[in-house]
Amino acid sequence: DEPYFREQWGNHNTGQNISNHGAGTADVDTNALEASTVTLGDPNLVVAVIDDGVDFSHPDLSGRQWVNPGESGLDTGGNDKSSNRQDDDGNGYIDDVNGWDFYHDDETVHDPGEDFHGTHVAGTIAASVNGAGISGMAPNIKIMALKFLGPLGGSDSDAILAIEYAKNKGVKISNNSWGGGGYSQPLKDAIDASGSLFVAAAGNGGMDGVGDNTDNYPEYPAAYSSANILSVAAINNRGSLAGFSNYGPTTVDISAPGVDILSSVPAVPARSGLTLSSVGTSGGKALVAGFGVEEISGSSLQAAFVARALQAVGRGSENVLLVDDDLSYLGAPDFGPTLKEALRSATGIYPQVIATRDGYSPSLSDLSGKVVVWETGQAYFSLDAYGNMLTTLTATDQSNLAQFLNAGGKLVLAGMDLLLFIEESSFVTGTLGL
């Protein structure tokens, strides 16, 4: 009865075509449809989603939230326990009615603009059978939202607090689709003592995006030797291991559908996809796109976008410099040729190209006198000359671009993660005014 159930190949694979991956192999699935004739899940069963948060206002998750009995109903003064700013159940957390946000240290388990992953996971587990959207694996169970991940990642200490919270509330299953930190004995001890089944993602490989053998290159928490960890690799709709998925004969226990999984996501606050900024007093202009040119469908529309972008920043007869910063030399998708061709189509000539690599970035003299188009593709970090991970636009990049713009430079910045982790920097909030 769910309108998008056909696209949930992981629940019921008939060999249907899915996204860009084509036809699947029939019955490579979880047998969720067959299982639903036995049970849709025990309404008294609680699964802790230890992740980022969960948006329970989503129609498919409304009613799926666990409700803390000690923080619901009325207190002795007739006030609603869920909002009376009292620790009614005495566990050290105030108004923790659906779980707790350990990242922000408050009771709000969803923050606007965040929690895409946790909401997606929660829908995969428990989206309601309500004639709208999708169906979860066990649509009658309840989800306890324990948020310890946020825009800047998360900490082992907060993960431990989340595990202990679930234990203290008697939760017997937790879902943990996260990892990547080093070995932590306190985290392992918390998992061992949790008294629950700890379902963990095997992991998504290294910086090259290719899965690793975690027997040799362990990724935690999935690779801990704890007897209660179920480590799960990802397969596609034909039953093949996903290219990004870790694997390991002793560290990975089972595989499950993990490619092109349709599920719930939070509502997104309306924000500009493009912003044109006037910088300084010398006519500097910057157009910032929160997406890559390569995400525009078709070469003619890509060229049209580039032409409009150059027009917006006021290009006259200046030469165009393309800064190719998409980390393709590390195996990330190479979008430089796509943008180079779009610029040729838009201007009639090929641009000069500078490709960043191993800490090299264009200098201020490289930028001066040109219209700069800086693309980052799917890159979400940079490396310095010693292999240390930096932000996509490094501190040197930001300084050079600020000077370039304040001197009257014209800049087009495009990429899905180009401002990741520098949202509050002086370059973003001051120079660009975002």
Side-chain angles (χ1 to χ4, degrees), residues 82-159:
S82 68
S83 57
N84 64 359
R85 309 311 304 159
Q86 300 294 319
D87 181 12
D88 295 288
D89 61 355
N91 67 345
Y93 302 99
I94 294 173
D95 294 344
D96 52 320
V97 66
N98 301 133
W100 189 258
D101 180 347
F102 296 91
Y103 184 86
H104 296 293
D105 194 26
D106 62 33
E107 76 281 5
T108 305
V109 296
H110 171 57
D111 298 278
E114 300 178 16
D115 310 322
F116 287 84
H117 195 261
T119 302
H120 190 278
V121 164
T124 303
I125 297 170
S128 298
V129 176
N130 57 2
I134 62 165
S135 171
M137 288 291 301
N140 282 356
I141 65 127
K142 298 295 192 295
I143 297 291
M144 175 189 288
L146 298 177
K147 177 176 178 175
F148 86 102
L149 296 171
L152 299 180
S155 67
D156 284 351
S157 58
D158 283 343

Side-chain angles (χ1 to χ4, degrees), residues 324-348:
D324 184 354
D325 192 18
D326 58 18
L327 286 191
S328 55
Y329 74 93
L330 289 179
D334 185 5
F335 297 121
T338 298
L339 196 48
K340 182 179 177 181
E341 192 60 40
L343 285 163
R344 183 209 61 79
S345 181
T347 65

Side-chain angles (χ1 to χ4, degrees), residues 38-308:
V38 179
T39 180
L40 293 177
D42 185 339
N44 296 314
L45 178 66
V46 178
V47 173
V49 171
I50 303 176
D51 206 291
D52 57 15
V54 178
D55 180 7
F56 288 116
S57 70
H58 190 289
D60 261 331
L61 294 174
S62 177
R64 302 272 54 79
Q65 66 269 34
W66 166 77
V67 176
N68 183 354
E71 294 286 349
S72 56
L74 300 180
D75 63 18
T76 55
N79 302 306
D80 186 346
K81 289 183 181 180
S82 68
S83 57
N84 64 359
R85 309 311 304 159
Q86 300 294 319
D87 181 12
D88 295 288
D89 61 355
N91 67 345
Y93 302 99
I94 294 173
D95 294 344
D96 52 320
V97 66
N98 301 133
W100 189 258
D101 180 347
F102 296 91
Y103 184 86
H104 296 293
D105 194 26
D106 62 33
E107 76 281 5
T108 305
V109 296
H110 171 57
D111 298 278
E114 300 178 16
D115 310 322
F116 287 84
H117 195 261
T119 302
H120 190 278
V121 164
T124 303
I125 297 170
S128 298
V129 176
N130 57 2
I134 62 165
S135 171
M137 288 291 301
N140 282 356
I141 65 127
K142 298 295 192 295
I143 297 291
M144 175 189 288
L146 298 177
K147 177 176 178 175
F148 86 102
L149 296 171
L152 299 180
S155 67
D156 284 351
S157 58
D158 283 343
I160 290 168
L161 290 174
I163 294 167
E164 291 175 342
Y165 182 103
K167 176 185 177 181
N168 291 336
K169 292 298 184 184
V171 172
K172 295 301 180 185
I173 305 175
S174 65
N175 190 92
N176 302 273
S177 297
W178 48 274
Y183 186 97
S184 166
Q185 190 63 48
L187 178 57
K188 182 180 184 301
D189 290 345
I191 295 169
D192 290 342
S194 67
S196 67
L197 176 64
F198 189 92
V199 183
N204 291 354
M207 289 189 299
D208 59 2
V210 178
D212 295 325
N213 183 338
T214 50
D215 287 5
N216 301 325
Y217 304 99
E219 181 163 321
Y220 302 105
Y224 288 131
S225 59
S226 307
N228 57 326
I229 290 179
L230 184 70
S231 174
V232 186
I235 57 170
N236 64 24
N237 63 338
R238 295 177 299 281
S240 299
L241 185 74
F244 59 79
S245 179
N246 290 341
Y247 56 93
T250 62
T251 48
V252 177
D253 302 304
I254 197 170
S255 64
V259 179
D260 279 326
I261 303 303
L262 182 68
S263 189
S264 48
V265 293
V268 180
R271 291 175 179 157
S272 298
L274 288 164
T275 304
L276 180 65
S277 306
S278 296
V279 182
T281 59
S282 300
K285 285 192 178 296
L287 182 73
V288 180
F291 53 88
V293 176
E294 72 282 351
E295 295 182 79
I296 299 171
S297 179
S299 58
S300 61
L301 290 179
Q302 291 169 352
F305 171 78
V306 168
R308 291 291 298 274

